[in-house]
Amino acid sequence: MLEVSGLRAGYGEVEVLREVDMDLGGGEIVAVLGSNGVGKTTLNNNLCGIYRPFAGSVRFAGEKITGRPAHKIVAAGLVQVPEGRRIFPNLTVHENLELGSYRRGRANRDSTLERVFTTFPRLRERMTQRAGTLSGGEQQMLAIGRGLMAEPVLLILDEPSLGLSPLLVEEMFALIGEISRQGIAILLVEQNVVQSLEIAHRAYILEQGRIVLSGTAGELLQNSDLKRAYLGI
Amino acid sequence: MLEFTILVPAVINGLLTGSIYALIALGLTLIYGVLHIINFAHGALLMLSLFGVYFLHSLAGIDPYVALLILVPAMFALGYGLQRTVIAHASHGKDENVLLVTLGIALIIENLALFFWRSDTRTIDVPYAFDVIDVGFAFLSVPRVAAFGAAFVVAGLLWVLMTRSDLGRAIRAVAKERHGARVVGIDVDHIFAMSYGIGTACVAAAACLLLPTFYVTPQVGNAFVLIAFTVVVLGGMGSFTGALVGGLLIGVVESLGGLFLGETLGQIGIFLVFIAVLLFRPTGLFGDRA
Ligand SMILES: Nc1ncnc2c1ncn2[C@@H]1O[C@H](COP(=O)(O)OP(=O)(O)OP(=O)(O)O)[C@@H](O)[C@H]1O
Ligand SMILES: [Mg+2]
């Protein structure tokens, strides 16, 4: 469903991603793991058309989407829940969710909204509250809910567990599994290696803009280099 | 002791003028809220619209109120096009550049107007220009009352647009969170241009309502844009309610200033209020507290 090959990207003169190759199939949860500053968010934003890659190609659902503007990529069903949530603080929770289906999924807005409220009852309670006044956890739920409103084919989640309490992190990962079972493919960008590998089918390890390791979650959990580097074992 | 019969008409006249200020300020505050710049071309666009009303009337015999139907969409399109082509391309995404580009546009429009139309003062003759209604304690100018009502209708329509439509929600979303807007598939460049277009359309509406009782020269926009800027700061940068209330308030202050201090000094009151607001409530009456 998603095929990335030879992707180079960065900012101005600075190259952050050097020849990234990866792919993701329908129904999969694929994790992209790596520590701070290795280029995870850069990858995500280049897939989504927020930035234009320097070189390489991105294919989504059989079409080349490299260099297309972000709104066309959303229209095709590739939707991200960005790092730092990026909800609209001056709009109500309800309005935030409505804008989730601004470009895609508008015809089913009401029924999708109902589903999102079933998944996140908290958001229904806070429907008329300004999103900027929500707690961090609630904002993360809203960001995910907003992403779901577009009826994504592939949902990219950029560090959804960031800033959440351990209990909420647990809930968040359970929820990602649930979204996946609804038939939405998921690209999970995370630093939380263990928990991500528990729910992901496959994963890529990113270091300084390169994929240094990839495989099924089971393989990676057994990999001694990975254990040393990320788990301190 | 001033008499009731002088004071009340002065306040009412201030409110009538203020509604026009409010309309111009609504456009300015919308553009500020979304693009984060003071649109220096605002006055020039107002002047251009006034000339539009003038020529539609003098060349084609079109009544200024009918001209609303032509000029509002035409100026919207001009604003949309200006943002989409000139401003967006010259700005390279930097807010400071946008500011300078709008200043450049203002200079060009004003000088072209001076070149083609000279600095003559022009007015139009409409049969209802001097009609008044007697409300008991005052005589009110019919076209100015009409302008007052129409300004509120426009403000109401704008409010419905901003709160009830996806376009309005997207405009408010882009104003505060551009990246988030891109993520949900909002075409941010399009929203910038829509905002600039709607802001320009407000000015066109103001021009149609203004000309029956006013005049046009190539410099006429400057005085208005200065007042509109005061209104926007007074009401709170980016606030719609603020622009509306601020516009009316400034209209009344100007009118009362004229009454107490004489026509020429009347505007001093506006700047006193402006300074007082900056001193005591820098975010404006309805602005978000930083
Ligand atoms: N807008 C930008 N302009 C210039 N450099 C940037 C920009 N955004 C990120 N970078 C740089 O690109 C590199 C990769 O950043 P990126 O945000 O992709 O990392 P990340 O893997 O998502 O890290 P984290 O886990 O901390 O979010 C970093 O060195 C960062 O400083
Ligand atoms: Mg990141």
Side-chain angles (χ1 to χ4, degrees):
Chain A
M1 170 183 298
L2 181 75
E3 296 147 48
V4 180
S5 60
L7 188 74
R8 291 170 174 276
Y11 306 93
E13 303 280 287
V14 186
E15 192 170 74
V16 174
L17 297 177
R18 305 149 217 248
E19 296 274 338
V20 170
D21 298 294
M22 60 183 291
D23 64 86
L24 180 151
E28 271 195 305
I29 303 181
V30 171
V32 173
L33 305 169
S35 45
N36 289 112
V38 297
K40 303 186 297 298
T41 301
T42 306
L43 171 64
N44 161 18
N45 282 335
N46 276 280
L47 298 181
C48 295
I50 306 280
Y51 298 118
R52 251 168 197 277
F54 297 165
S57 91
V58 181
R59 293 180 67 82
F60 176 68
E63 277 186 74
K64 195 165 180 236
I65 57 164
T66 333
R68 278 202 207 166
H71 60 94
K72 295 230 168 100
I73 293 180
V74 170
L78 203 177
V79 177
Q80 71 156 312
V81 177
E83 179 176 58
R85 291 127 195 187
R86 302 298 189 140
I87 51 152
F88 308 118
N90 52 331
L91 270 57
T92 65
V93 167
H94 189 205
E95 288 176 320
N96 266 271
L97 291 171
E98 284 177 314
L99 278 185
S101 55
Y102 176 88
R103 182 65 59 185
R104 188 185 151 87
R106 180 149 11 173
N108 301 329
R109 182 176 274 179
D110 293 340
S111 57
T112 317
L113 190 66
E114 205 42 52
R115 272 216 308 280
V116 169
F117 280 149
T118 313
T119 315
F120 302 108
R122 250 326 234 291
L123 294 182
R124 192 198 296 273
E125 289 165 29
R126 314 254 151 193
M127 201 152 87
T128 55
Q129 189 174 328
R130 272 191 181 216
T133 62
L134 293 177
S135 77
E138 289 164 348
Q139 290 191 8
Q140 187 62 59
M141 290 177 199
L142 179 58
I144 295 177
R146 187 181 67 178
L148 290 173
M149 288 298 294
E151 306 183 319
V153 178
L154 166 58
L155 190 66
I156 303 183
L157 296 159
D158 196 334
E159 302 210 38
S161 70
L162 196 73
L164 300 186
S165 69
L167 211 65
L168 267 185
V169 171
E170 202 69 44
E171 255 179 59
M172 185 60 67
F173 280 100
L175 176 82
I176 294 168
E178 208 174 291
I179 295 173
S180 161
R181 280 189 292 278
Q182 292 172 15
I184 299 169
I186 289 178
L187 185 68
L188 176 62
V189 174
E190 262 293 344
Q191 297 201 37
N192 202 327
V193 174
V194 179
Q195 269 165 313
S196 299
L197 288 179
E198 271 169 14
I199 62 160
H201 303 112
R202 293 187 300 121
Y204 294 89
I205 311 292
L206 200 60
E207 262 176 32
Q208 282 158 19
R210 284 179 220 276
I211 305 252
V212 292
L213 205 60
S214 65
T216 65
E219 284 164 15
L220 289 171
L221 275 169
Q222 298 309 315
N223 187 292
S224 48
D225 289 341
L226 186 81
K227 280 187 185 169
R228 249 196 317 279
Y230 292 94
L231 310 179
I233 319 172
Chain B
M1 183 66 207
L2 262 162
E3 292 200 31
F4 181 75
T5 50
I6 302 179
L7 207 56
V8 169
V11 169
I12 292 175
N13 271 315
L15 288 172
L16 298 183
T17 314
S19 67
I20 299 287
Y21 294 159
L23 201 48
I24 299 169
L26 273 175
L28 197 62
T29 214
L30 170 67
I31 294 172
Y32 174 82
V34 178
L35 290 155
H36 307 309
I37 51 135
I38 302 297
N39 176 30
F40 279 123
H42 216 60
L45 291 166
L46 174 67
M47 176 268 290
L48 202 60
S49 308
L50 283 165
F51 270 109
V53 185
Y54 174 80
F55 285 119
L56 282 175
H57 183 266
S58 60
L59 301 181
I62 295 173
D63 183 86
Y65 298 116
V66 179
L68 273 170
L69 300 175
I70 302 166
L71 271 177
V72 169
M75 290 304 286
F76 166 81
L78 177 68
Y80 186 97
L82 270 180
Q83 166 64 34
R84 202 79 215 223
T85 56
V86 183
I87 303 177
H89 282 279
S91 67
H92 305 291
K94 294 208 183 84
D95 290 350
E96 320 79 87
N97 293 358
V98 180
L99 197 84
L100 291 176
V101 175
T102 64
L103 190 61
I105 293 173
L107 289 173
I108 292 170
I109 296 180
E110 265 179 42
N111 284 294
L112 285 177
L114 269 173
F115 179 76
F116 286 113
W117 303 321
R118 321 257 164 231
S119 56
D120 307 344
T121 299
R122 297 162 205 244
T123 55
I124 55 170
D125 256 327
V126 284
Y128 46 79
F130 298 103
D131 287 1
V132 288
I133 31 175
D134 184 357
V135 288
F137 47 85
F139 290 99
L140 301 179
S141 149
V142 169
R144 298 187 68 213
V145 171
F148 183 83
F152 272 84
V153 171
V154 172
L157 289 175
L158 208 54
W159 184 81
V160 171
L161 174 81
M162 294 304 284
T163 55
R164 295 277 178 276
S165 74
D166 264 13
L167 171 63
R169 286 187 276 260
I171 289 176
R172 285 154 55 220
V174 169
K176 283 283 177 339
E177 181 48 71
R178 289 180 193 176
H179 183 64
R182 288 205 174 86
V183 163
V184 299
I186 293 172
D187 180 351
V188 171
D189 294 330
H190 169 70
I191 294 296
F192 281 169
M194 288 302 282
S195 308
Y196 203 88
I198 295 169
T200 308
C202 287
V203 150
C208 296
L209 302 175
L210 195 57
L211 203 61
T213 57
F214 208 68
Y215 61 88
V216 55
T217 74
Q219 291 96 358
V220 73
N222 297 330
F224 280 97
V225 88
L226 200 62
I227 290 177
F229 177 65
T230 310
V231 168
V232 168
V233 175
L234 176 70
M237 309 285 282
S239 159
F240 286 89
T241 324
L244 211 55
V245 175
L248 296 176
L249 195 65
I250 288 292
V252 171
V253 167
E254 183 188 37
S255 172
L256 291 180
L259 188 63
F260 290 111
L261 305 170
E263 280 297 329
T264 46
L265 283 178
Q267 292 211 336
I268 284 184
I270 296 176
F271 298 105
L272 290 179
V273 171
F274 186 56
I275 291 167
V277 168
L278 286 183
L279 281 179
F280 298 110
R281 213 185 147 85
T283 52
L285 298 175
F286 295 88
D288 293 333
R289 253 146 292 184

